[in-house]
């Protein structure tokens, strides 16, 4: 799976405007979500994340690239039954924790895109627009759509 996404920082007025506007034209998918992420260092260009959300834990391996302000991430996600054992495996293999992030999200969907109004602890508020595609050939159209959705939201 390839995740095509962009994020922008929001000031308090922008967040309030979007919080009021998004429900009018997008379908709310998850009323509130809290995501707790631990990131590990590894091979260059790859990010390892263990995310806890809604009582479930998922391992995620991302290979990120940036193209004209749009992030493209090839991802592998695996549900974890035993997060503690997996963390021990990462430590044994030499991976080191390098960041922790907690964000609270309002999540909406519209026209094949996911919109997240996020509050990230210690960083502030952000809007993230994401489209998932299955093939690299679909990424350029998804990038254009992400840009168009940002323009539409002002």
């Amino acid at each position: 799976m390839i995740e095509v996404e962009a994020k922008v920082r929001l000031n308090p007025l922008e967040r309030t405007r979007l919080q009021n506007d998004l429900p009018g034209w997008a379908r709310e998918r998850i009323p509130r979500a809290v995501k707790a992420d631990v990131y590990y260092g590894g091979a260059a260009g790859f990010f390892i994340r263990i995310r806890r959300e809604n009582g479930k834990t998922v391992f995620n391996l991302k290979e990120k690239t940036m193209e004209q302000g749009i992030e493209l991430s090839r991802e592998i996600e695996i549900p974890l039954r035993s997060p503690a054992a997996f963390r021990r495996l990462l430590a044994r293999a030499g991976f080191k924790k390098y960041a922790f992030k907690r964000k609270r999200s309002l999540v909406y969907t519209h026209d094949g895109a996911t919109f997240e109004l996020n509050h990230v602890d210690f960083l502030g508020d952000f809007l993230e627009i994401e489209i998932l595609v299955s093939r690299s050939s679909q990424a350029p159209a998804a990038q254009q759509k992400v840009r168009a959705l940002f323009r539409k939201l002002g």
Side-chain angles (χ1 to χ4, degrees):
M1 190 62 60
I2 300 169
E3 182 180 89
V4 179
E5 69 179 351
K7 302 172 183 116
V8 295
R9 183 180 294 275
L10 301 173
N11 66 43
L13 292 175
E14 291 167 326
R15 180 179 174 91
T16 299
R17 179 182 62 82
L18 287 169
Q19 206 165 333
N20 291 329
D21 290 353
L22 274 173
W25 64 272
R27 181 176 62 84
E28 190 168 353
R29 186 176 78 181
I30 302 169
R32 296 212 181 270
V34 176
K35 300 171 186 175
D37 298 338
V38 178
Y39 292 88
Y40 292 82
F46 287 89
F47 295 88
I48 292 176
R49 177 184 74 201
I50 296 178
R51 170 173 281 169
R52 181 127 177 101
E53 179 181 6
N54 298 328
K56 296 180 180 164
T57 305
V58 176
F59 162 79
N60 182 281
L61 176 67
K62 287 188 177 200
E63 180 183 10
K64 288 186 177 190
T65 59
M66 290 290 284
E67 293 182 13
Q68 299 173 346
I70 304 288
E71 182 181 303
L72 301 173
S73 298
R74 293 186 180 277
E75 295 191 0
I76 299 170
E77 285 193 351
I78 302 168
L80 293 178
R81 282 190 184 165
S82 179
F86 193 76
R87 285 190 293 273
R88 286 192 303 273
L89 180 143
L90 288 174
R92 180 88 172 146
F95 290 91
K96 305 282 188 216
K97 292 180 191 178
Y98 72 86
F100 174 80
K101 176 177 77 177
R102 189 173 90 124
K103 65 181 177 179
R104 290 177 298 285
S105 305
L106 296 172
V107 182
Y108 303 88
T109 59
H110 175 74
D111 194 23
T114 300
F115 301 78
E116 287 190 12
L117 280 176
N118 294 315
H119 178 79
V120 181
D121 288 358
F122 308 109
L123 294 176
D125 295 313
F126 296 84
L127 171 64
E128 178 179 318
I129 300 177
E130 170 186 295
I131 297 173
L132 297 176
V133 297
S134 56
R135 295 187 313 276
S136 296
S137 61
Q138 299 168 313
Q143 288 173 298
Q144 289 178 347
K145 187 172 182 176
V146 167
R147 284 187 193 93
L149 289 166
F150 270 108
R151 282 192 301 273
K152 182 176 183 177
L153 288 172

